[in-house]
Structures are given as C-alpha cells and as structure tokens.
Amino acid sequence: MGSVDSSTPFQLKDAPIDGHRPIKVRIIGAGYSGIYLGIRIPQRLRNVDLRIYEKEESVGGTWWVNRYPGCACDIPAHSYQYTFNPNPDWSAFYAPQREICAYLQGTAEKYGALRFVKLLHKVESCRWDDNRKKWILTVQRLDTKETFEDDADVLVAARGNLSDPAFPNIPGLESFKGEVMHSARWNENYDFKNKRIGIIGNGSSAIQIVPSLQKIEGAQLSCFVRSKTWITNPFGDNVMRKLGLDPDILEFSPEQRREFAENPEKLFNFRKTIEVDGGTIHDISIRGSAMQLGAIDAFSEAMKKRLSKKPEIAEFLIPSFGIGCRRSTPGPGYLEALVEDNVDFITEPIEAITPAGVTLKSGRSVLIDALVCATGFNTSSAPPFPVYGRGDLSLETRFKPFPTAYLSLTVDSFPNFFMMLGPNSAIGSGSLTVILENEGDYIVKCIRKLQKEDYATMTIKPERVHDWSEYCHEYFKSTVYTDTCHSWYKSEGGSGDRITGLWPGSTLHALEALRAPRWEDYDWEVIEGNGRNRLKWLGNGWSVTHVPGEKEDEWGGDPAWYIEPRFVDFPLPGHPEEDETLKMRPFSH
C-alpha cells in the first residue's frame, strides 16, 4: 500500500452526519421546472439560500409568454400537470393556455414557491469562478434597469426550450409596414377583423392559430406552408373512447367537472387510463412497427376525409415520413379551417417580404395587413445569455456541432450546473411533466450530496457525455425521428442528422434512468480545508435526529423514526416476492 500523509493531524468535523451546511442555489426560469424546484428544494433540503430568477412579469414560463388565439395543450391536460396536484377542473381535454398558466400560478402559490421567485429579473450572464468554486451571475432588474452581481454554489437553467422565439430568415422582414408578431410575442390589442393575414409555418402553434383567426369576421388568411405534417391525435382519440367520451366533444361539461372534484377515485381512474395509454404507445416511434404502419394508414385516410373539399391540400400535406418524425399535433379544427373560402393555402416558397406583403418565388405578390410568424423557437442552441464554464469555455461553444448533455441534465467542464428540459429531454409520447419532476428530483439529490458529504463541486466526466451522445445516436437510428423531415427534434435548426430534442427511449425508460444517480460518472472536489480524509463528512458521531433541542424531550428529529410505519417496509409473510409495489416497478438502489 502507498504511504498516507499524516503530517497534519486529523480532526473530526463538529457537526452531525446528516446536517445541512449552507448552500446557495440559483434557478433561471419560473415555468413548470422552476416552480417544481421551488417546491421540492425547501421541502427536502434545509439551509438552502434559494432564488428563482424570472424575466417575465409572472410565473408560468411558456404558458405565460404564449398567448396567441387558440393556444392550448396538445396532449391531454390531465397528463400535463404535477403528479401531486391534480386539477379536477380542466375545462377541456386539451386545456387552453389561460387555464394552464393559472394552474401553474396557483400551484406556485399553494406550495410556497413564490417566496423564492424574483420577477422581472433577467439573467444576463453566468460564469464559473474556479478559485471560489462559485457561479457568478450578472442579473438585470427590468423594472429599474439596475444590474447587480450574484453568486451561487449550484446553478440550474430551468428556462426550457420553448422560450427563445425564432423568426424566419427571410429578406425584407424588417421592412414590412404592417403588424408583425411571433406566436410567442402576441399583440393581444391588435384587431384582426377585416384584415388580410399572412401566417408563416404549420407547426404546433400555427395549427392552433389558423382555426381561431379563420373565424374572425372579414379575415382573409394566407397560410404559407412549406412542410408536410401529420395532423393526428395518437394521444387522445383512443383514450377518449376507452373513457366513454366522444372524441369530437373536447369540452368537459359542468357535471363532469363537478364529478371529478367530488369523486377523487373517478378522477384518479381517469388519469390512470390516460397515463397507461400514453405509456404504451411507444412502439409507434419505431420505424416499420405494426403500430406505426397502422397509424399511417388510419391517419392518411382521416386527413383525406377532413380535406375532401380541397383534395390538393391533402396531396401536399400528407407526408411520406413516419408519424412522429415531426411533432404530431391533434390540431382540432385546423384541417377544417384550411378548406374554408377565406383561407388560401400557399406552398410556393417565399422570395422576400416587402413593405406591403409577401413576394413568392414566381414573382406573385400577396398583399397582407398583418404577418404572423408561427416559426417556433431556437431549440437546438445554448441559452440566449452567455454561460461560461471552466477555462472560460462557453456553453454555446460546447454545444457545437450539436448540443448534448449527460442524461439531458449536465455538461462536462460546467461544475454544479444542471439543465431542466435540456438537450434530449422531450418525449414523443407519454407524460413530459413527470420527466420534468424526475429531473428535478435528480438535481435535488445532487444538491443534497454536495451539501451532506462536503463536496465543493461535481462535474460530469467527458467520457460519460461521449457515451451518452453515442448511445443517443445509435438508439434513434431505428426510429421514425431520423426519417427525412424538418423537425425541432433535430440539430442544426431542424435539418441535422442528430436528434437533440428527444429522450432516447420511452417516458418510463427516462424515469428509470433518472431514478438513482450514478455518482461514479462524476468527478468530485471536496470543500477547501477538509484535508486528506475523505470521510470527514461523517461528522462527530451524532445524527441530527437525536441532537437535544431547546426543550425537554425535544430533539432535532425523531430518535425512533425507524419504527414509524411510514418508514417501515413490511414484507409479505411467506412470499415477500409477491410484493405488489415491486411488481408495479422493480426495486432500485
């Protein structure tokens, strides 16, 4: 064995083993992810200096920013909520934006997350100081224009990938004299009545905008569409039939909502059916699977039927690529709107935008009063503010030629830095919000390990990031996501050969991968002054649970917690292997 330096006498750390050393955590963004951490961190941890910086006027994230007409959830609302706070009062199967935003605001208030949120605080830059082992943040207060500096032990980017609007790169866009708006920067005061409206795009937002604007009195729509897309409902129709609902009636009646509120078992069973359906259609993502081929036949016929008034639209719109290569959207009313007399479906490429309208490649001019850019977000790029890790490496540079992050959460050379809904976080089917919850749980575990075991930093090993990237690339080869289509799931703005938007597997696969952190995949640095003994964190031999309190018979916890029924794992007599809980989900360390 090698010699051990014993020149400096070892001294115990005078603190209980399960104590909570002070730690500063800063979170960027107060949408689904930031709110979740604003609940779980104070619930599970102690002695945390927590702040959540949000640049908008309210919490809600993308559901605060996006206010275009028709904006709604495109998966069942009962699967788009926190598991611990089910909402019995959704007004529709696909809840509208205002309800989702109100739900997030209500959840943040109900569970105390608003205590930590700093609204109108825009993070301008984040830089790692390797001497101090701290993140240094530059933050601007948007109401006063004051700029200040803050620091953190742990930094979490919870801004999501639907927060940085992408405008089309078309010559002359800035010259247009009419009203221009992005779907995520909607002008709610603009009157579309009797207006000629141009709409660029046919992704999720355009599919919701078009039916709403088409109904406005005197409106004339010109829909500029270059991409084929599936207008499908793999998430909803089947499960609605299983639940005894009519897929054509998306609103819940007052009686149904009252029953959900008064009968928790009925609400749970409703939710359970939706989750089981979403969790068992993963096979649709596999190229050539029976489920995929059957869906292509069914949805092709359904689209042709809905577009029978203008069959030429169906001929252009129905893709040759598999269902799911681009994000599938139910699109209630979209195809029906396209065949109306006040909608012009234009597939010719745009040459330029002029002060008065749009010029097509053929030279044809389309005069418009308002231009709606339903062109999505910059989803394959780094955050819109500089983040610098070790060696002054920028995240933007690290994300070239394509963004990648270990388990979608963390990047080498960026200590104590985590992302929620980072690269490869989204899902093709199943519950996205439960993935976000499990990402948050993983991050909370990491913060606790840093805090409890006296580590200054944890940094994912570059070898593991490479392994993850290799795994992702190989996994997606057999899926429809690598078919030939333009999709925000892909690198290089939607046309690259890497899938950077989706988790490489099912939702349930993601939950298991995130369940127990593999600490061996990280490099660790102990806090300064801890010396050579890596077990100094064991403390002074005490547990906080039996440290005497101020009063008689008062302790820091419960000295006999281990016999409390909530902590006891009772095996089944005779056949413990028949445990129903472990049949539902295998045991994990």
Side-chain angles (χ1 to χ4, degrees):
M1 294 178 63
S3 61
V4 176
D5 179 14
S6 58
S7 58
T8 303
F10 171 66
Q11 291 183 326
L12 296 179
K13 174 187 174 183
D14 189 18
I17 183 174
D18 39 12
H20 298 77
R21 72 177 175 90
I23 195 166
K24 293 178 73 172
V25 178
R26 296 295 181 261
I27 299 166
I28 304 171
Y32 255 105
S33 301
I35 291 170
Y36 184 76
L37 287 176
I39 296 168
R40 292 304 191 194
I41 288 177
Q43 177 196 10
R44 296 172 178 170
L45 306 178
R46 299 293 177 267
N47 227 5
V48 177
D49 179 342
L50 175 63
R51 284 188 193 172
I52 304 171
Y53 288 124
E54 171 54 59
K55 62 182 174 61
E56 300 293 337
E57 298 174 2
S58 173
V59 302
T62 190
W63 296 105
W64 169 263
V65 171
N66 284 276
R67 304 179 196 177
Y68 59 81
C71 184
C73 185
D74 60 6
I75 62 172
H78 288 87
S79 183
Y80 196 72
Q81 56 187 351
Y82 297 113
T83 54
F84 57 87
N85 192 31
N87 179 18
D89 199 37
W90 297 118
S91 68
F93 199 72
Y94 303 105
Q97 169 265 334
R98 291 183 187 276
E99 285 185 27
I100 299 173
C101 191
Y103 168 79
L104 288 171
Q105 293 167 338
T107 301
E109 182 175 7
K110 178 179 179 180
Y111 293 100
L114 296 179
R115 295 173 293 167
F116 310 105
V117 177
K118 301 292 183 183
L119 298 174
L120 294 173
H121 280 63
K122 181 181 180 181
V123 175
E124 296 189 325
S125 68
C126 306
R127 189 180 298 271
W128 175 253
D129 185 328
D130 210 32
N131 292 320
R132 296 170 57 191
K133 309 301 179 189
K134 296 272 189 181
W135 281 100
I136 310 302
L137 288 71
T138 302
V139 184
Q140 184 187 49
R141 284 192 55 172
L142 297 180
D143 52 350
T144 65
K145 304 304 179 184
E146 169 199 1
T147 298
F148 64 92
E149 193 173 273
D150 193 10
D151 63 75
D153 299 298
V154 176
L155 178 65
V156 183
R159 49 177 291 277
N161 58 11
L162 301 180
S163 58
D164 184 20
F167 279 86
N169 185 21
I170 300 175
L173 178 61
E174 296 180 358
S175 72
F176 182 61
K177 300 298 184 183
E179 182 73 20
V180 178
M181 64 185 82
H182 190 279
S183 56
R185 294 290 183 267
W186 198 261
N187 181 358
E188 295 180 274
N189 297 319
Y190 185 77
D191 185 4
F192 285 95
K193 189 181 295 185
N194 297 313
K195 297 294 196 304
R196 298 165 298 180
I197 309 164
I199 302 171
I200 300 176
N202 68 330
S204 298
S205 55
I207 288 169
Q208 294 179 338
I209 289 170
V210 169
S212 296
L213 296 186
Q214 183 271 324
K215 297 182 180 72
I216 293 177
E217 180 184 342
Q220 180 66 45
L221 276 59
S222 296
C223 297
F224 301 97
V225 176
R226 294 293 302 147
S227 300
K228 298 177 181 294
T229 192
W230 290 104
I231 307 299
T232 67
N233 197 1
F235 308 109
D237 281 8
N238 289 336
V239 72
M240 289 186 77
R241 293 189 183 96
K242 290 177 184 177
L243 292 165
L245 302 176
D246 184 346
D248 294 326
I249 302 176
L250 299 176
E251 291 74 28
F252 293 114
S253 68
E255 292 75 22
Q256 286 174 309
R257 292 157 70 176
R258 189 181 309 113
E259 190 172 8
F260 283 146
E262 296 175 355
N263 188 339
E265 184 178 358
K266 183 177 180 65
L267 176 62
F268 174 80
N269 290 335
F270 188 90
R271 293 172 58 208
K272 181 82 171 183
T273 302
I274 290 173
E275 296 298 338
V276 169
D277 186 77
T280 53
I281 61 170
H282 175 64
D283 200 39
I284 199 171
S285 67
I286 306 302
R287 185 184 300 111
S289 69
M291 186 178 289
Q292 170 69 212
L293 297 176
I296 287 175
D297 290 342
F299 295 136
S300 293
E301 289 306 310
M303 288 181 67
K304 289 176 183 177
K305 182 177 180 180
R306 292 166 67 186
L307 292 168
S308 58
K309 186 177 174 182
K310 293 183 179 180
E312 68 276 11
I313 297 181
E315 186 176 342
F316 174 87
L317 205 57
I318 295 175
S320 58
F321 53 76
I323 293 172
C325 184
R326 295 185 74 197
R327 178 164 175 77
S328 299
T329 306
Y334 177 66
L335 298 181
E336 290 76 9
L338 292 182
V339 300
E340 292 297 328
D341 294 337
N342 64 332
V343 177
D344 192 8
F345 187 79
I346 301 171
T347 61
E348 189 179 339
I350 295 174
E351 178 72 20
I353 294 173
T354 67
V358 174
T359 300
L360 304 177
K361 284 281 187 182
S362 64
R364 173 190 166 195
S365 292
V366 181
L367 300 179
I368 56 175
D369 303 301
L371 181 62
V372 173
C373 299
T375 43
F377 300 85
N378 294 309
T379 57
S380 59
S381 60
F385 50 86
V387 180
Y388 297 96
R390 278 202 178 109
D392 224 25
L393 175 68
S394 72
L395 191 60
E396 182 180 20
T397 299
R398 180 62 187 81
F399 274 4
K400 291 179 180 177
F402 55 87
T404 185
Y406 169 80
L407 298 183
S408 82
L409 286 168
T410 189
V411 188
D412 56 294
S413 298
F414 291 78
N416 299 359
F417 174 68
F418 301 94
M419 293 171 284
M420 292 187 70
L421 206 61
N424 294 105
S425 264
I427 199 73
S429 62
S431 173
L432 173 64
T433 51
V434 76
I435 289 182
L436 294 181
E437 289 189 25
N438 279 260
E439 288 180 348
D441 294 344
Y442 185 106
I443 292 169
V444 171
K445 291 173 185 175
C446 291
I447 297 171
R448 181 59 178 139
K449 185 172 178 72
L450 289 167
Q451 184 186 50
K452 179 182 176 181
E453 299 182 21
D454 287 342
Y455 285 113
T457 68
M458 59 183 295
T459 312
I460 192 65
K461 295 175 180 178
E463 298 89 347
R464 298 295 82 79
V465 179
H466 175 269
D467 290 347
W468 166 258
S469 179
E470 186 177 53
Y471 175 85
C472 290
H473 192 50
E474 185 62 27
Y475 171 81
F476 285 116
K477 287 179 180 178
S478 63
T479 70
V480 295
Y481 305 122
T482 51
D483 285 359
T484 303
C485 72
H486 190 276
S487 168
W488 69 262
Y489 298 157
K490 296 183 177 182
S491 59
E492 299 176 31
S495 58
D497 64 351
R498 289 277 183 160
I499 303 300
T500 59
L502 294 177
W503 179 271
S506 67
T507 295
L508 295 167
H509 175 270
L511 303 190
E512 189 61 29
L514 295 167
R515 188 177 184 182
R518 279 172 45 98
W519 303 124
E520 63 269 31
D521 289 345
Y522 291 86
D523 289 321
W524 302 86
E525 289 182 296
V526 297
I527 60 174
E528 185 177 349
N530 251 27
R532 58 180 171 75
N533 194 312
R534 292 296 184 263
L535 295 183
K536 190 171 183 177
W537 66 272
L538 288 170
N540 57 11
W542 288 72
S543 164
V544 71
T545 58
H546 66 109
V547 172
E550 294 181 0
K551 300 177 182 178
E552 188 177 356
D553 294 332
E554 182 180 77
W555 300 276
D558 184 342
W561 60 265
Y562 46 85
I563 67 168
E564 288 286 336
R566 75 189 77 178
F567 293 112
V568 178
D569 184 3
F570 294 97
L572 289 174
H575 294 278
E577 66 273 15
E578 297 299 322
D579 189 308
E580 285 300 320
T581 299
L582 294 176
K583 284 185 175 182
M584 295 173 75
R585 188 186 193 190
F587 174 78
S588 177
H589 60 280

